Amino acid sequence: MRKTLVLVVAMLALSACSPAKEATAPEVATLAGPSAAVSASPQSHRPRERLDTTPEEYEAMLAPYNKCIAEHGGMSRSAAAAGGAPKPASEKEVAKFDEANRICEPQYFPLPPWEKDPANPEAKDFARDVVKCLKGKGVKYVEVSDDGISIALGGDDNDARSISMGMDLIPGCERATAATRK
C-alpha cells in the first residue's frame, strides 16, 4: 500500500512539473504509461539489494555499474581487485574514477536494502529493533550509529566478543526483524 502511495505521489509531482497543455477534454490521472517528462530524463537502472542478497548476486548487480565505469575511463572495483597486488592509485586515476562514478553511481550502483535505506522513514526503527534483537542474543556492546541506520559493534573499547558475535548474528536479526514488520 505504501509503495503504491509513493508511486501515485511521485506521478502527481511529475505531472505538476510538466509544461501546461491546452486541453480540449478533461484528463484523468493514470498510471498506465510514462509521460514525456519522465522519458526525457535519464532513467535509473539501479537494482536494490535485499537483506538476503548473496555475494554472488551483489557482484551481478555491480556488473552494469562496473561496465559504465569502464566506459567512462575509470577502473571498476572488480578490475582493481583483479589486478593483483594492490598499489596506490595515482591522482589521475582517482580523478578519472571520481568523474566516472559521478555519472555511473546514480544510474547503476545498487541501492541498499529498503530496510536500511535513508529514504525509508522506518529505517531508524528497523535499526533499533535489530539492536534490540542482538542484545537479546547476548551482544553486550551494540548500538545504533550516529546516522540512525547503521549498527555499531564493540563499544568504545572495541570489544572483540561483541564484534564477533554481532557480525555472526546481524543477518539473522535483520531477517527476523523484517519478518515481524511485514
Side-chain angles (χ1 to χ4, degrees), residues 24-178:
T24 56
E27 294 183 19
V28 177
T30 179
L31 298 176
S35 69
V38 174
S39 61
S41 64
Q43 189 175 18
S44 175
H45 303 287
R46 294 178 78 174
R48 180 167 303 273
E49 263 187 279
R50 300 177 324 272
L51 290 175
D52 63 349
T53 298
T54 66
E56 295 80 17
E57 290 171 329
Y58 188 74
E59 281 301 314
M61 287 180 197
L62 279 177
Y65 169 78
N66 288 334
K67 179 181 177 193
C68 179
I69 292 288
E71 288 171 353
H72 288 89
M75 184 179 287
S76 71
R77 295 169 191 230
S78 297
K87 65 174 184 145
S90 69
E91 287 182 32
K92 185 178 177 181
E93 289 171 327
V94 170
K96 274 184 157 184
F97 176 80
D98 287 346
E99 178 63 22
N101 190 56
R102 184 184 63 74
I103 295 165
C104 300
E105 182 178 352
Q107 294 183 59
Y108 300 106
F109 195 77
L111 294 165
W114 180 241
E115 294 85 355
K116 298 179 179 184
D117 193 323
N120 178 357
E122 296 179 5
K124 291 181 180 189
D125 294 332
F126 178 79
R128 281 191 292 268
D129 290 348
V130 171
V131 166
K132 185 177 177 181
C133 173
L134 291 168
K135 286 183 177 183
K137 293 184 179 282
V139 180
K140 188 173 182 180
Y141 298 102
V142 59
E143 62 186 355
V144 176
S145 296
D146 292 338
D147 66 5
I149 297 172
S150 303
I151 307 295
L153 296 166
D156 293 336
D157 295 328
N158 286 326
D159 179 66
R161 184 173 186 273
S162 292
I163 294 170
S164 178
M165 282 181 67
M167 294 300 289
D168 289 340
L169 296 171
I170 282 176
C173 281
E174 287 177 342
R175 286 190 298 272
T177 299

